[in-house]
Amino acid sequence: MATNGWRLWWAKRRWYERNHRLLRRWRINRHAARGGFFIRHPVEGEVLEALDEGRLTIGAGTLLEPGCWLTLAPEARIEIGEGCFLNRNVMIAAQEHVGIGDHTMLANGCFVGDAEHRYDDPEQPITWQGFTSKGPVAIGSNCWFGVNCVVTSGVSVGERCVVGANSVVNRDVERGTIVAGAPAKPIGSTQAASK
């Protein structure tokens, strides 16, 4: 029994700690150098596999701070534009597609995902029920997301939007809008703020 426990522990360690291996870090850094972006380690998730397969694209000048976690289903894509800034512990989870425009900033602890865990089958543990989605996520260029924001599936955020800290964006946000709250609601305009 103890042997099986250690075997399971070792298998999980190999999977979850894989990006901490020097060769994998070097391969991630090689992708970054060729693409003109920078990833500060540790980074979590299927980053190397997705970069190798072209399912993860990161624009030049983009920075991923330590603790970012990018996870993708086998056919999913994540596209991050140029000059973006993903602060510590940002998580992007793609079942199908998550797109982020150029020069967008996500503060510490933000989560962007195009799917949610299912929970509708009372006979199955939630961890076994898989995912459901309302569609891909599209975030425009020049947006700013405060600390601990959440963007849910099927949402489109227009260009030059600001999302207040701790907000949950569960519906589309028009270009140039400032939103805040859970759920996020419009509270202003970035055009008015610039005057």
Side-chain angles (χ1 to χ4, degrees):
M1 186 68 158
T3 304
N4 288 339
W6 277 107
R7 188 173 293 139
L8 177 62
W9 179 87
W10 185 251
K12 289 199 176 283
R13 183 183 186 281
R14 286 180 50 84
W15 174 253
Y16 287 112
E17 301 291 327
R18 66 194 181 281
N19 290 336
H20 297 258
R21 294 185 212 134
L22 287 177
L23 179 59
R24 290 180 65 89
R25 286 172 67 137
W26 181 84
R27 289 177 59 202
I28 290 169
N29 290 341
R30 185 177 63 181
H31 278 287
R34 288 178 176 167
F37 57 90
F38 193 80
I39 296 176
R40 290 186 61 205
H41 294 276
V43 64
E44 307 296 341
E46 296 80 28
V47 174
L48 180 58
E49 295 83 354
L51 285 167
D52 284 347
E53 296 166 8
R55 296 183 302 113
L56 170 61
T57 58
I58 302 173
T62 288
L63 170 64
L64 275 65
E65 285 283 11
C68 285
W69 189 322
L70 280 61
T71 184
L72 302 86
E75 302 301 317
R77 292 178 299 119
I78 294 175
E79 297 173 327
I80 302 171
E82 294 183 2
C84 291
F85 182 70
L86 279 63
N87 213 325
R88 290 177 178 264
N89 304 315
V90 168
M91 182 174 190
I92 301 175
Q95 183 74 16
E96 182 183 335
H97 182 257
V98 173
I100 298 173
D102 298 336
H103 304 287
T104 289
M105 297 190 312
L106 286 90
N108 302 48
C110 287
F111 173 82
V112 179
D114 69 350
E116 294 89 29
H117 286 278
R118 289 186 47 204
Y119 55 88
D120 54 332
D121 185 347
E123 304 300 319
Q124 289 273 351
I126 288 176
T127 54
W128 296 355
Q129 290 190 37
F131 299 91
T132 183
S133 177
K134 295 176 187 164
V137 171
I139 295 174
S141 297
N142 296 297
C143 292
W144 174 27
F145 291 78
V147 172
N148 297 324
C149 290
V150 173
V151 180
T152 64
S153 68
V155 168
S156 176
V157 177
E159 293 186 2
R160 295 205 177 271
C161 289
V162 175
V163 179
N166 301 307
S167 295
V168 178
V169 182
N170 63 358
R171 58 180 64 100
D172 292 351
V173 178
E174 291 184 24
R175 174 189 171 94
T177 305
I178 302 170
V179 298
K185 294 181 177 153
I187 60 169
S189 166
T190 56
Q191 281 77 18
S194 64
K195 292 181 182 176

